[in-house]
Amino acid sequence: MKKYNTLLAVPYFLWLLFFVLAPVVLVIGYSFFDQSGHFTLANYAEYFGSGKYLLMTFNSVWYAFLITLITLLISYPTAYFLTKLKHKDLWLLLIILPTWINLLLKAYAFIGIFGVHGGLNSFLGFFGILPKQLLFTDFSFLIVAVYIQLPFMIIPLFNALEELPPSFIAASKDLGANSTQTFFKVIFPLSLNGVKSGIQAVFIPSLSLFMLTRLIGGNRVITLGTAIEEHFMVTQNWGKGATIGVVLIIAMVIVMLFTGEKKAGGK
């Protein structure tokens, strides 16, 4: 039986080796070479010595933080409300359905919605509001990014809230706690693992957004993901792009360490 279990684990380890570890090693390796293929530390020196890249790093973290915060504020009450519905699985499926649609198609749909002659401006026109340039703004970028990331925050929150023992909530009320006290003293602390999982699922991808920054943000929103695409696809400076990729990997690891589930005893 033990040998059989080991054989079942082989595909997992092969996947981990070729599609997780190998790409990371390649990215780290490329970051130490210039465009001529010579070993150098200049990529890191330029990155950490350039105000442009440091500002880009701040923008990436700031926008990822805003996207995660707005998504969390919308998703938590939504997930909590879903757990109280009769056909909760059906409603959850309806929330998940948009994730089955290609990201590029959704982006182009929002271009039509936020355009000067788009659906939103047409709706505002009924109230006498003149058409406004809603596309290629921070507002439109945040709205679309939050919309795309919502299901990935709602699902872990829904699972965490769904697993809460009803007896804990009943005991809280029996002990004299009101609804607000029950939420902050019982429900929210017991759902923190779902909050942390949701933050991981939203914050980490939001750090490296590049398609939305171009199509919706109109390159007004510049992030590290945009810079990576620029270096790999336009300037062909793979070393510089890989260096930024390494910084993103480190940032993602830090986020995972801070939001990871701690075992009992702090181990």
Side-chain angles (χ1 to χ4, degrees):
M1 178 62 71
K2 186 176 181 181
K3 183 178 179 181
Y4 178 73
N5 291 336
T6 304
L7 289 174
L8 288 176
V10 169
Y12 167 77
F13 285 110
L14 288 175
W15 178 275
L16 192 66
L17 175 64
F18 290 110
F19 297 103
V20 178
L21 296 179
V24 170
V25 171
L26 283 174
V27 169
I28 294 173
Y30 274 121
S31 70
F32 290 103
F33 291 90
D34 59 19
Q35 285 183 285
S36 302
H38 300 128
F39 181 84
T40 180
L41 296 176
N43 293 326
Y44 286 96
E46 183 177 349
Y47 179 89
F48 290 104
S50 170
K52 176 181 69 175
Y53 286 115
L54 294 179
L55 178 61
M56 205 176 295
T57 304
F58 173 79
N59 282 338
S60 295
V61 175
W62 173 244
Y63 281 113
F65 169 77
L66 286 179
I67 292 168
T68 305
L69 178 62
I70 297 170
T71 306
L72 178 61
L73 292 176
I74 297 173
S75 299
Y76 200 100
T78 301
Y80 184 76
F81 179 70
L82 281 175
T83 60
K84 306 299 180 184
L85 296 178
K86 183 177 181 181
H87 302 291
K88 60 186 74 175
D89 293 334
L90 174 61
W91 289 106
L92 186 63
L93 176 63
L94 293 176
I95 290 174
I96 296 173
L97 275 178
T99 62
W100 299 358
I101 302 173
N102 184 273
L103 178 60
L104 188 60
L105 293 177
K106 288 188 283 190
Y108 277 114
F110 275 103
I111 290 176
I113 293 172
F114 287 120
V116 175
H117 303 291
L120 187 54
N121 271 314
S122 298
F123 175 76
L124 294 176
F126 287 113
F127 301 96
I129 301 175
L130 295 176
K132 298 182 182 298
Q133 179 59 48
L134 300 174
L135 197 61
F136 308 141
T137 62
D138 291 1
F139 168 79
S140 61
F141 169 72
L142 286 173
I143 290 295
V144 177
V146 167
Y147 164 78
I148 289 171
Q149 299 289 6
L150 271 175
F152 303 105
M153 179 70 79
I154 290 176
I155 292 171
L157 288 173
F158 174 84
N159 291 333
L161 291 168
E162 183 70 4
E163 293 174 358
L164 285 179
S167 58
F168 286 14
I169 299 174
S172 174
K173 293 180 179 180
D174 288 341
L175 292 171
N178 57 35
S179 299
T180 303
Q181 291 172 325
T182 299
F183 175 78
F184 285 105
K185 296 293 185 179
V186 179
I187 298 174
F188 185 74
L190 291 177
S191 64
L192 273 179
N193 285 336
V195 173
K196 292 177 180 179
S197 298
I199 290 174
Q200 285 185 8
V202 172
F203 188 88
I204 292 176
S206 298
L207 277 174
S208 55
L209 288 173
F210 70 90
M211 184 189 298
L212 295 183
T213 58
R214 291 196 181 280
L215 296 178
I216 306 298
N219 281 340
R220 291 185 71 259
V221 180
I222 304 298
T223 64
L224 291 180
T226 311
I228 292 174
E229 185 208 17
E230 186 78 16
H231 285 306
F232 273 99
M233 305 301 294
V234 181
T235 66
Q236 296 293 305
N237 191 340
W238 289 20
K240 190 72 65 61
T243 301
I244 302 173
V246 171
V247 174
L248 271 180
I249 291 171
I250 294 172
M252 293 172 184
V253 170
I254 292 172
V255 172
M256 292 180 69
L257 289 175
F258 275 101
T259 58
E261 183 178 350
K262 292 180 175 61
K263 296 180 180 180
K267 297 181 180 180

